[in-house]
Amino acid sequence: MTAELDPVIHPASRLRIMTTLVAAGEGKAMPFALLAERLDMTPGNLSVHLTKLETAGYVRIDKTFRGRKPATYAVLTHAGGLAFARYLTALKTLLDPVREGVGDNDATN
Amino acid sequence: MTAELDPVIHPASRLRIMTTLVAAGEGKAMPFALLAERLDMTPGNLSVHLTKLETAGYVRIDKTFRGRKPATYAVLTHAGGLAFARYLTALKTLLDPVREGVGDNDATN
């Protein structure tokens, strides 16, 4: 049986959050508002998913002030980067048997 | 914003079922018991997920008899094959920004 797909990362919303943070880079502070806008997620929905990622230690939430305005940032942790790499490897292993046959060749039209 | 990941296919259990049926091939009848064993899923759990895939038209459930014993088979439909191809394309698009940086290179150790 193939390695399990990390249930913290796999759900679509959290996968999209992690992909955005991994693309930004480990330790990079991503403004909450920018993340919500880019992922077209409501602040409430984004907050729920970020909390699950934070609980797992994959993301750190930094709350600070810019001038007098509160500002929240999401930061990919080293553990988060490693967990995402394991997730990608497990996903690739799962999809290997079908990736050639399906995807971007004519069979899909 | 990237194409949505088909919510019928993306959940891990159903993704593993679809990957197994796509690897077997469209129209190929996969015995229920073999699928349950291969995916290490209880019959009840497999049945719930197959019903969702059947409702979406991605899988056909054939019930027949082998001798006097009832036998159930899961068959990937043409629509299921196309949906899975669209899913893979959307998944690849989502993961493209991070696939080079993470995965099977040294950065993950």
Side-chain angles (χ1 to χ4, degrees):
Chain A
M1 200 185 72
T2 49
E4 195 205 8
L5 295 172
D6 187 331
V8 174
I9 295 176
H10 186 65
S13 296
R14 293 201 289 276
L15 180 55
R16 291 173 60 227
I17 293 169
M18 285 295 281
T19 303
T20 305
L21 294 180
V22 168
E26 214 174 286
K28 272 280 183 44
M30 174 75 81
F32 182 94
L34 176 63
L35 204 51
E37 185 198 311
R38 204 181 277 182
L39 295 174
D40 195 19
M41 290 172 78
T42 66
N45 194 20
L46 177 58
S47 191
V48 164
H49 289 298
L50 280 176
T51 300
K52 281 189 178 151
L53 292 168
E54 186 186 30
T55 305
Y58 295 168
V59 165
R60 195 184 68 241
I61 307 297
D62 290 345
K63 292 187 186 271
T64 178
F65 280 87
R66 291 192 61 174
R68 286 210 204 119
K69 276 184 73 183
T72 303
Y73 296 86
V75 186
L76 180 73
T77 64
H78 185 61
L82 291 180
F84 190 81
R86 283 192 305 268
Y87 168 81
L88 271 192
T89 304
L91 187 62
K92 243 191 286 187
T93 307
L94 172 64
L95 296 179
D96 259 352
V98 292
R99 269 192 316 161
E100 289 68 31
V102 182
D104 38 19
N105 62 22
D106 306 344
T108 62
N109 307 356
Chain B
M1 201 187 69
T2 51
E4 196 204 8
L5 295 173
D6 187 331
V8 174
I9 295 175
H10 187 64
S13 296
R14 292 201 289 277
L15 179 55
R16 292 173 60 226
I17 293 168
M18 285 294 281
T19 302
T20 306
L21 294 179
V22 169
E26 215 174 286
K28 271 279 184 44
M30 173 75 81
F32 182 93
L34 178 63
L35 203 51
E37 185 198 310
R38 203 181 278 183
L39 296 174
D40 196 19
M41 291 171 80
T42 65
N45 194 20
L46 177 57
S47 190
V48 164
H49 289 298
L50 281 177
T51 302
K52 280 192 177 141
L53 292 168
E54 186 187 28
T55 305
Y58 295 169
V59 165
R60 196 184 67 241
I61 307 296
D62 290 346
K63 292 187 186 270
T64 179
F65 280 89
R66 292 192 60 174
R68 286 208 206 123
K69 276 185 72 185
T72 303
Y73 297 85
V75 186
L76 180 73
T77 64
H78 185 61
L82 292 181
F84 190 81
R86 283 193 305 269
Y87 169 81
L88 271 193
T89 304
L91 187 63
K92 241 192 283 188
T93 306
L94 173 65
L95 296 178
D96 261 350
V98 293
R99 272 194 309 162
E100 289 70 32
V102 184
D104 38 21
N105 61 26
D106 306 342
T108 61
N109 309 351

